[in-house]
Amino acid sequence: KQEVTQIPAALSVPEGENLVLNCSFTDSAIYNLQWFRQDPGKGLTSLLLIQSSQREQTSGRLNASLDKSSGRSTLYIAASQPGDSATYLCAVVEGYKLSFGAGTTVTVRA
Amino acid sequence: NAGVTQTPKFQVLKTGQSMTLQCAQDMNHEYMSWYRQDPGMGLRLIHYSVGAGITDQGEVPNGYNVSRSTTEDFPLRLLSAAPSQTSVYFCASSYSRSSATYEQYFGPGTRLTVT
């Protein structure tokens, strides 16, 4: 059974600082890894999808890396803004099924 | 294109009552699934479907029933609600971008409280 862990559970940074969010998983035989953002009381918004053959994926200020051999993915958010405050979830994609971490709740202080 | 829609947004049930959570998607996706989200636990898979007429159990299926008569709809039924089913429920649909890449789309969620 795939176990997905996100540490820390919560993070508070001043505006402008770079964010580094970690995700680890136990079974490296994955299809893809997907990062989501969730605002309080809302659904999930997909941020980045990294295919298993890729090592990283970028979108604007977001960059996600994937190291299957060590069972890790990292989401980098450059020059954080108060609008980046949310919970970030990583999910291991095994076909059409996802195994989620519990998330990291980020607060960016103005 | 509405994406994935869920109704209702909020629901309060008494223990023992039954109800159906509705989910629909208009993207012609083959795959649909239901997850529940509890504090500190992430999302857990309840049931999933790989196409009309085909469903299977996920990680936490007990107390829930599903059917998929059309590609668009995937309702989740609570047979006899229990306080342990208090949670936020998300429906998702996905398609295969390539042979090994599936992209997931989530609905806005249904917040269920069982008293």
Side-chain angles (χ1 to χ4, degrees), chain A residues 1 31-32 34 36 38 40-44 46 49 51-52 89 93 95-102, chain B residues 31 35 37 40-43 45 48 50 59 90 94 97-104 106-108 111:
Chain A
K1 179 179 178 288
Y31 281 62
N32 318 120
Q34 197 163 356
F36 295 88
Q38 185 176 31
K42 303 293 185 184
L44 279 68
S46 178
L49 171 69
Q51 297 178 37
S52 61
L89 298 160
V93 183
Y96 39 81
K97 294 188 283 184
L98 273 64
S99 297
F100 282 87
Chain B
Y31 311 112
Y35 293 84
Q37 184 176 35
M41 297 189 71
L43 280 76
L45 181 64
Y48 63 95
V50 300
E59 184 184 351
F90 289 100
S94 63
R97 268 209 232 159
S98 66
S99 63
T101 302
Y102 298 79
E103 185 149 11
Q104 302 271 343
F106 280 79
R111 296 182 174 277

